[in-house]
Amino acid sequence: MKKVLGVTLGILTAIGGFVDIGDLVTNALVGARFGMHMAWVVLVGVIGICLYAEMSGRVVAISGRPVFDLIRERLGPRTGLVALVASFLVTLLTLVAEVGGVALAFELASGVNYLLWMPLAALAVWLVIWRVKFSRLEQVFGLMGLLLIVFGVALFKLGPDWGQLLHQATRPHPIGHESWSTYAYYGIALFGAAMTPYEVFFFSSGGVEEKWTRRDLFTARTNVFVGFPLGGLLSLAIMGCAAVLFLPAGIQVGTLGQVTLPVAVALGKIGLAIVLIGVFAATFGAALETALSCGYTIAQYRGWQWGKFVRPREASRFHVVIIVCLLLAVLTLLTGVDPVKVTEYSVVFAAMALPLTYLPILIVANDPDYVGEHTNGRVLNAFGLVYLALLTIASAAAIPLMIITKAGQ
Amino acid sequence: MSGRVLHAQLHLLDRQLIDQSDGHLVGKVDDVELDLDADPPVVALLISGREQIPAGRIAEIDTAIKITVGDLDLDYYDNWIEHHVIDHIPGAGDATE
């Protein structure tokens, strides 16, 4: 039973990291504009995150050191600082989007404007971080997030032409009025959403919170290879729903309400209720993860005491960082900025920060000082290098494509 | 740790410092000071923030460095924030449920 519950770290990371507000919005948006013609990016993203999350899980299980400890050690204080600033800002932006997502889910359920829900959502996130045990937090939000499987059920109920969806998925090119540059831009956004840096910060720090040792290698790997592919399947279901309902009608997705609409169409009110709870769990789980990750990255770079495994007063600087970040998120959202737009930008900026996050993991996973005999094999390193090249290309192309396509318009 | 070759840049710089007595994280090694008069030169001090840690306090060098903290004030800023901010919030001293 303990093993089964142990897997919830992976499920939470997958639901709240793989399927967070970024994936909900980006997958639906891409499905509505490109059908399943971009499904392959999800597959590439899932393999990439599995590859690097496994490495960081292995490093943390054997050495006890989480990712940002190593980023500074292996890149040095200066380059490490650049990586810190980039990853921290992206994670903070993602936190803004997730808190907005929680509030939007409440708006959809209640009809009350999200701006009123938003301070409550941020307060609730803080209270859970302040009071609730790490393992409980994983279990509750991980399991509740599984309700998003309703997207899969909805897809079946919509009765799509499966042959046509498969036909689309095997032809990776833009369709209709779309150009190659918007196709590439959204490809990078989808890739960034799948491999968002906070996923590995949270996963590896979570390993320390759970006090993983080398005996937990199996748990770490199960988490990775169950959680992330499950998240990938959910992403494809979200994309599929949008491809079936919105693409033929020529409707573009710009709100969270549209993301959940296919479920309401397919399954009625009960479906809508389930999907809203699922969206709430996924965005709330991701808000917890990103808020914690803001604290993890800074504390681990500076060497401060961090974590929920000690009382808050023993990690006071870590908790102050989290409180300040949540306040910043509330202030940003109070300006009335559209959380869905924030989400769209956050995934592209995430893509830009990727190489600095993943390069040190690849280096350390090859260092016997940290992982003993469990260093990467040749095949793993070959894959790791291919992905590092992909991440670098995506990172370099993100801003030029954002300018050329006017952020995907 | 006799017979083990340590590379100051790889094994000391930017490494996590841990209080040997309670396992608390107490900072990073920001710099290393060598005693060049000795032959061969040896590490004399580890510098973390504003504190200098004499090499004699190093208990273990692994993927993190364990030290005997004793009277070193490595928690100065953490304690300051603890007393001025965190302790004013209810539940600051409780373990999470």
Side-chain angles (χ1 to χ4, degrees):
Chain A
M1 192 60 194
K2 191 172 173 287
K3 279 217 169 121
V4 174
L5 287 177
V7 178
T8 50
L9 176 61
I11 297 177
L12 177 66
T13 319
I15 306 293
F18 207 95
V19 187
D20 62 352
I21 185 78
D23 293 84
L24 284 164
V25 168
T26 316
N27 279 291
L29 198 151
V30 163
R33 281 177 71 157
F34 301 95
M36 296 303 276
H37 289 276
M38 214 180 271
W40 62 276
V41 178
V42 175
L43 190 67
V44 173
V46 170
I47 296 173
I49 192 69
C50 282
L51 202 61
Y52 277 91
E54 191 277 327
M55 284 185 221
S56 61
R58 177 154 39 95
V59 170
V60 80
I62 292 169
S63 73
R65 313 270 27 112
V67 168
F68 234 97
D69 248 21
L70 308 170
I71 287 185
R72 175 165 165 193
E73 247 181 69
R74 279 297 167 261
L75 294 182
R78 293 226 181 99
T79 318
L81 188 63
V82 175
L84 174 71
V85 171
S87 324
F88 175 78
L89 289 179
V90 167
T91 308
L92 185 60
L93 195 64
T94 315
L95 172 64
V96 174
E98 307 294 351
V99 173
V102 175
L104 283 177
F106 274 105
E107 179 183 282
L108 287 173
S110 67
V112 177
N113 190 286
Y114 80 95
L115 283 173
L116 292 172
W117 286 113
M118 186 265 300
L120 288 177
L123 184 68
V125 169
W126 173 74
L127 267 177
V128 170
I129 289 178
W130 187 254
R131 296 296 301 170
V132 181
K133 211 163 89 180
F134 190 85
S135 53
R136 177 109 0 116
L137 156 172
E138 287 168 0
Q139 287 155 11
V140 170
F141 292 97
L143 293 176
M144 255 166 76
L146 280 178
L147 288 177
L148 286 178
I149 289 172
V150 74
F151 274 106
V153 179
L155 184 58
F156 274 95
K157 201 81 197 296
L158 286 170
D161 179 347
W162 293 101
Q164 202 205 340
L165 286 184
L166 195 66
H167 178 86
Q168 290 177 2
T170 49
R171 278 158 188 76
H173 56 69
I175 48 168
H177 305 295
E178 304 288 353
S179 64
W180 274 103
S181 53
T182 51
Y183 186 78
Y185 178 74
Y186 280 108
I188 287 174
L190 206 52
F191 194 46
M195 292 196 69
T196 319
Y198 81 84
E199 292 170 50
V200 285
F201 301 149
F202 179 76
F203 187 66
S204 70
S205 306
V208 177
E209 300 260 22
E210 298 260 284
K211 302 187 170 70
W212 279 354
T213 62
R214 64 179 62 229
R215 265 177 308 193
D216 297 298
L217 264 182
F218 174 79
T219 314
R221 288 189 172 135
T222 321
N223 276 331
V224 169
F225 295 118
V226 173
F228 289 113
L230 181 66
L233 278 179
L234 292 180
S235 295
L236 288 175
I238 296 166
M239 189 188 279
C241 282
V244 172
L245 200 66
F246 297 130
L247 181 66
I251 297 169
Q252 291 210 6
V253 169
T255 66
L256 193 61
Q258 286 171 309
V259 175
T260 57
L261 188 63
V263 180
V265 170
L267 303 165
K269 273 188 184 161
I270 292 181
L272 184 63
I274 293 174
V275 78
L276 285 181
I277 298 172
V279 168
F280 159 73
T283 50
F284 198 88
L288 293 172
E289 288 185 22
T290 43
L292 283 166
S293 295
C294 285
Y296 289 149
T297 50
I298 293 189
Q300 287 167 13
Y301 177 86
R302 300 282 299 145
W304 300 340
Q305 178 64 51
W306 53 270
K308 288 178 53 53
F309 55 93
V310 294
R311 294 160 205 275
R313 65 190 306 250
E314 289 165 17
S316 50
R317 285 178 287 190
F318 168 71
H319 278 279
V320 160
V321 170
I322 292 174
I323 292 170
V324 170
C325 288
L326 280 167
L327 285 176
L328 284 174
V330 169
L331 289 176
T332 312
L333 288 167
L334 278 179
T335 61
V337 60
D338 179 5
V340 175
K341 278 270 169 277
V342 174
T343 306
E344 289 179 36
Y345 282 103
S346 75
V347 292
V348 177
F349 286 124
M352 286 169 56
L354 291 175
L356 284 175
T357 306
Y358 290 106
L359 172 65
I361 300 177
L362 185 61
I363 296 175
V364 170
N366 278 294
D367 188 338
D369 266 359
Y370 289 95
V371 287
E373 75 272 28
H374 295 278
T375 48
N376 281 356
R378 268 184 203 191
V379 179
L380 206 52
N381 273 334
F383 272 103
L385 284 172
V386 168
Y387 267 88
L388 207 59
L390 273 179
L391 296 169
T392 312
I393 295 168
S395 163
I399 288 290
L401 280 171
M402 186 183 261
I403 295 167
I404 293 169
T405 62
K406 297 195 180 73
Q409 284 164 21
Chain B
M1 25 176 204
S2 60
R4 198 174 144 215
V5 179
L6 290 175
H7 191 293
Q9 187 132 24
L10 275 180
H11 294 108
L12 295 176
L13 271 185
D14 298 307
R15 219 156 249 217
Q16 180 71 50
L17 291 166
I18 298 181
D19 184 342
Q20 194 197 14
S21 65
D22 58 8
H24 279 182
L25 309 171
V26 289
K28 288 264 180 179
V29 180
D30 295 319
D31 209 348
V32 172
E33 205 166 282
L34 299 176
D35 179 0
L36 294 173
D37 294 335
D39 186 37
V42 291
V43 172
L45 291 170
L46 301 180
I47 296 165
S48 177
R50 35 179 235 159
E51 289 294 322
Q52 302 191 328
I53 304 153
R57 287 182 182 267
I58 300 174
E60 187 189 336
I61 299 178
D62 195 1
T63 53
I65 299 173
K66 290 198 174 129
I67 55 169
T68 327
V69 171
D71 56 348
L72 293 173
D73 194 12
L74 288 162
D75 277 336
Y76 177 81
Y77 294 106
D78 212 64
N79 288 335
W80 193 91
I81 289 183
E82 182 182 325
H83 293 138
H84 289 82
V85 186
I86 293 295
D87 270 352
H88 294 287
I89 306 170
D94 298 353
T96 48
E97 298 297 323

